[in-house]
């Protein structure tokens, strides 16, 4: 890969045109992430609306699978729109992606539910989610490339860092709109029809985004290359069939975006899941805690982007991966200690065992939630995991039944998948907190952040967000600089969306599957720790420093 030094850094601040480029690119991308995250934030309500023919647990699984479908197709969107972006141009490609995303989101708000049009409703819904994922696969690479190709030498990290804030701001915006609509309408009305409002409002955001982007000119770097007749006729072949470039794509994935993706999704999405599903913090409070941590931390995307122009992209991204891998366990334990102290105490003091004939105990790993457990040993362990009870598995003699021991005392076990009153009463009697326990962190309003317990949890979540900003702030500039202009859009988009859409997007479900299969509420953290560590090692050895390359090379 060529690493030609660039001209000296330009002095002075941004020009008016540069500010407009960053605003137009960032604003559109914020709205696109807003659209994408609305579905995830409302998955349970959407499940009830569009998968109502199924039992509650099954409809939730289908709703989450439809959400995951949007992540799974993102790399394919990167390939499709990356090719178009390298042949036709950056501007027109991300105009198309934002139109697809915006219209798909708006249609979700209008789509009749399953009670009205039957099975057509979930089929159309999944189709819209696939379109959203494809569009998002083309959006990020276009926006990052466009801004970088407008950036002066020595300031690409700083300029592209504004794009890096957009995923967090989109998530933040979706949470705020949902909370506001819920507060105005009340929960019954919101669940019945008000959930459509955030989807319908997005059409206004779409109109603003398209209007602004229509005012943009093509990237000067791309336009110059095209005018000189040096653009690629077959960007997919040049990007992936040519080993010299394919090797860099692989290094970008394994030594960059894979670790960045798992650190990002742990710090934002798994933290939210951990609060709600494992620590039993109510959804209102959990969303506000995450929202405040994002509000306090978002400016650090820009700080680390700026810093990467001074000291390099590689040291910041890899240091973020390493620090995160070393500190996830203690930070999440401290979150438990502050958010649900009774649960922490119970985990340390209450010994729960499931004793069974080993032939009756299977593998509980269930990342997509489609497996149905029937063996008593499996249903007992799955029930304990969903109740946030730490357990161990011991094997009894062949032919023995299932026993649940709590501090050495056997508790009658009824083979029921969702309700075991005797086990629940026994673990709560031994010290596990009941739902709604007064010791669990709770916010009564959005500004109820000054209580020591609340402030401590926000502070810990803020640290996780700092890790996110370290790995994510410089990554756009790094990816742009790794590849030549004529195949840049295609080459950078694929490793980004595999790292974030697959390794990152599937993290919450996979991590909880690890928790359920091991009986340890912290075991799911091994997923991001292992992949972040791999990225640190591979990146340290193979990833080149890119901050001084000439991005105008064809």
């Amino acid at each position: 890969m060529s690493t030609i030094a660039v001209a000296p850094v330009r002095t002075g601040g941004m020009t008016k045109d540069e500010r407009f480029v960053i605003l137009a690119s960032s604003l559109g991308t914020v709205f696109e992430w807003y659209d994408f995250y609305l579905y995830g934030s409302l998955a349970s309500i959407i499940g009830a609306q569009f998968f109502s023919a199924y039992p509650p647990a099954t409809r939730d699984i289908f709703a989450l699978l439809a959400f995951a479908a949007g992540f799974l197709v993102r790399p394919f969107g990167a390939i499709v729109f990356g090719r178009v972006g390298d042949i036709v141009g950056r501007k027109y490609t991300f105009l198309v992606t934002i139109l697809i995303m915006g219209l798909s989101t708006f249609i979700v708000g209008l789509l009749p539910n399953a009670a009205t049009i039957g099975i057509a409703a979930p089929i159309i819904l999944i189709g819209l989610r696939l379109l959203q994922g494809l569009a998002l696969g083309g959006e990020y690479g276009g926006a990052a490339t466009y801004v970088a190709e407008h950036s002066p030498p020595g300031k690409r990290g700083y300029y592209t860092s504004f794009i890096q804030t957009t995923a967090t701001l989109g998530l933040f915006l979706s949470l705020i709109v949902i909370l506001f609509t819920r507060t105005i309408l009340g929960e019954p009305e919101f669940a019945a029809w008000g959930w459509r409002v955030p989807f319908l409002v997005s059409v206004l955001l779409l109109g603003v985004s398209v209007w602004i982007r229509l005012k943009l000119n093509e990237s000067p770097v791309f336009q110059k290359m095209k005018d000189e007749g040096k653009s690629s006729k077959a960007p997919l072949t040049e990007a992936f069939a040519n080993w010299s470039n394919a090797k860099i794509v692989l290094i970008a994935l394994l030594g960059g975006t894979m670790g960045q993706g798992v650190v990002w999704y742990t710090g934002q999405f798994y933290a939210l899941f951990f609060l709600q599903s494992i620590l039993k913090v109510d959804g209102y409070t959990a969303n506000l805690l995450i929202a405040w941590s994002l509000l306090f931390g978002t400016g650090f995307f820009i700080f680390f982007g700026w810093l990467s122009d001074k000291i390099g992209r590689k040291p910041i991204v890899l240091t973020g991966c390493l620090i995160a891998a070393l500190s996830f366990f203690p930070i999440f334990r401290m979150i438990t200690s502050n958010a649900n102290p009774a649960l922490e105490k119970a985990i340390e003091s209450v010994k729960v065992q499931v004793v069974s004939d080993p032939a009756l105990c299977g593998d509980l790993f269930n990342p997509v939630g489609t497996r149905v457990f029937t063996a008593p040993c499996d249903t007992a362990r799955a029930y304990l995991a969903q109740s946030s009870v730490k357990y161990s598995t011991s094997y009894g003699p062949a032919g023995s039944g299932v026993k649940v021991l709590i501090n050495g005392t056997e508790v009658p076990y009824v083979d029921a998948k969702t309700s075991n009153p005797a086990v629940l009463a026994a673990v709560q009697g031994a010290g596990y907190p009941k739902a709604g326990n007064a010791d669990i962190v709770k916010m009564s309003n959005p500004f109820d952040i000054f209580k020591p317990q609340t402030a401590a949890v926000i502070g810990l979540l803020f640290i996780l967000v700092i890790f996110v900003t370290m790995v994510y702030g410089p990554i756009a500039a790094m990816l742009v600089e790794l590849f030549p202009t004529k195949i840049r859009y295609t080459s950078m988009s694929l490793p980004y969306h595999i790292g974030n859409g697959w390794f990152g997007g599937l993290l919450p479900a996979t991590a909880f599957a690890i928790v359920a299969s091991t009986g340890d509420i912290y075991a799911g953290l091994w997923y991001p720790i292992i992949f972040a560590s791999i990225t640190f090692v591979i990146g340290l050895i193979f990833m080149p420093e890119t901050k001084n390359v000439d991005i105008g090379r064809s």
Side-chain angles (χ1 to χ4, degrees):
M1 184 184 69
S2 173
T3 55
I4 304 170
V6 298
V9 176
R10 190 192 73 195
T11 58
M14 290 183 189
T15 66
K16 180 180 177 182
D17 288 343
E18 287 168 351
R19 283 195 296 270
F20 183 73
V21 164
I22 291 172
L23 173 66
S25 301
S26 300
L27 195 59
T29 309
V30 167
F31 296 158
E32 208 150 354
W33 281 111
Y34 164 84
D35 291 350
F36 193 76
Y37 288 135
L38 274 183
Y39 184 100
S41 302
L42 298 172
S44 60
I45 291 176
I46 288 173
Q49 291 283 334
F50 292 95
F51 301 98
S52 55
Y54 304 96
T58 305
R59 71 178 65 148
D60 287 347
I61 289 169
F62 284 158
L64 289 172
L65 286 175
F67 182 56
F71 287 99
L72 293 174
V73 299
R74 277 170 56 181
F76 300 102
I79 292 172
V80 171
F81 292 109
R83 179 180 183 276
V84 175
D86 281 329
I87 294 175
V88 177
R90 291 34 168 149
K91 170 187 171 178
Y92 295 104
T93 304
F94 67 27
L95 265 175
V96 171
T97 61
I98 201 166
L99 280 168
I100 294 173
M101 174 67 83
L103 292 175
S104 298
T105 302
F106 181 66
I107 293 170
V108 170
L110 297 175
L111 184 61
N113 60 22
T116 305
I117 61 173
I119 196 171
I123 291 173
I124 296 172
L125 177 71
I126 292 171
L128 292 170
R129 280 299 299 167
L130 293 173
L131 284 174
Q132 287 178 320
L134 287 169
L136 191 58
E139 165 66 21
Y140 175 84
T145 301
Y146 188 80
V147 171
E149 291 178 348
H150 276 85
S151 303
K155 294 190 176 183
R156 285 192 295 267
Y158 174 57
Y159 280 33
T160 58
S161 66
F162 288 90
I163 293 291
Q164 303 308 87
T165 68
T166 58
T168 295
L169 291 173
L171 172 62
F172 184 79
L173 183 62
S174 71
L175 293 176
I176 293 301
V177 172
I178 290 168
L179 287 169
F180 180 78
T181 309
R182 266 189 156 125
T183 302
I184 295 296
L185 297 179
E187 196 60 36
E189 291 298 310
F190 183 82
W193 62 271
W195 64 271
R196 296 181 181 273
V197 172
F199 286 93
L200 297 174
V201 165
S202 70
V203 77
L204 301 176
L205 309 181
L206 172 64
V208 172
S209 300
V210 171
W211 177 73
I212 290 177
R213 285 191 173 184
L214 283 171
K215 293 178 174 292
L216 294 173
N217 296 315
E218 184 53 82
S219 151
V221 174
F222 178 84
Q223 191 62 52
K224 180 176 183 294
M225 181 195 68
K226 196 168 185 180
D227 291 343
E228 293 173 351
K230 296 179 181 178
S231 58
S232 174
K233 306 300 182 194
L236 293 180
T237 301
E238 292 186 45
F240 307 123
N242 179 353
W243 173 241
S244 63
N245 194 78
K247 176 178 66 177
I248 302 301
V249 171
L250 200 58
I251 291 172
L253 170 62
L254 300 179
T257 61
M258 180 177 71
Q260 169 258 308
V262 298
V263 172
W264 175 24
Y265 277 78
T266 302
Q268 293 185 187
F269 301 101
Y270 189 64
L272 178 61
F273 178 87
F274 187 82
L275 287 168
Q276 290 181 277
S277 298
I278 296 178
L279 301 187
K280 309 304 180 186
V281 177
D282 69 271
Y284 178 82
T285 297
N287 280 299
L288 283 175
L289 292 169
I290 294 291
W292 275 107
S293 70
L294 295 177
L295 185 63
F296 290 138
T298 295
F300 285 88
F301 287 108
I302 297 169
F303 169 75
F304 285 115
W306 168 85
L307 185 62
S308 75
D309 287 328
K310 310 300 180 185
I311 67 172
R313 326 298 184 202
K314 178 176 173 175
I316 298 174
V317 173
L318 296 186
T319 299
C321 286
L322 179 62
I323 296 174
L326 294 174
S327 62
F328 275 154
F329 275 126
I331 288 175
F332 274 83
R333 286 194 174 99
M334 285 189 283
I335 291 173
T336 301
S337 178
N338 286 278
N340 193 339
L343 177 62
E344 180 195 38
K345 184 178 179 181
I347 287 170
E348 293 175 353
S349 61
V350 181
K351 183 178 181 181
V352 180
Q353 290 178 285
V354 177
V355 183
S356 173
D357 176 354
L360 301 178
C361 287
D363 173 21
L364 288 185
F365 192 64
N366 188 23
V368 296
T370 55
R371 294 176 61 192
V372 177
F373 302 111
T374 57
C377 175
D378 294 342
T379 60
R381 293 183 297 152
Y383 175 76
L384 290 168
Q386 300 215 351
S387 302
S388 301
V389 175
K390 183 178 181 179
Y391 71 87
S392 61
T393 304
S394 301
Y395 296 126
S400 62
V402 175
K403 294 190 293 186
V404 176
L405 303 179
I406 300 174
N407 289 334
T409 302
E410 183 176 350
V411 177
Y413 173 70
V414 178
D415 182 19
K417 300 176 182 61
T418 58
S419 177
N420 282 280
V423 173
L424 181 62
V427 294
Q428 290 177 350
Y432 273 88
K434 297 179 181 179
N437 184 288
D439 289 338
I440 299 175
V441 65
K442 186 172 180 63
M443 295 176 66
S444 56
N445 63 73
F447 299 98
D448 185 19
I449 64 172
F450 299 105
K451 292 181 294 188
Q453 183 186 27
T454 307
V457 175
I458 292 174
L460 291 164
L461 295 171
F462 169 75
I463 294 172
L464 294 177
V465 172
I466 293 300
F467 298 160
V468 174
T469 63
M470 288 184 71
V471 299
Y472 199 49
I475 202 76
M478 175 187 280
L479 290 172
V480 167
E481 292 160 348
L482 279 170
F483 302 104
T485 304
K486 65 179 181 178
I487 53 172
R488 177 171 293 137
Y489 200 148
T490 304
S491 299
M492 71 163 286
S493 293
L494 187 64
Y496 175 83
H497 285 292
I498 292 177
N500 288 272
W502 289 2
F503 286 98
L506 299 179
L507 184 149
T510 305
F512 184 69
I514 296 171
V515 169
S517 61
T518 60
D520 181 351
I521 68 168
Y522 303 112
L525 294 171
W526 282 114
Y527 179 106
I529 287 170
I530 289 171
F531 286 116
S533 300
I534 292 172
T535 287
F536 174 76
V537 173
I538 293 176
L540 191 65
I541 297 171
F542 297 106
M543 179 68 75
E545 180 51 64
T546 63
K547 77 181 181 71
N548 289 325
V549 303
D550 174 15
I551 66 166
R553 67 197 191 280
S554 58

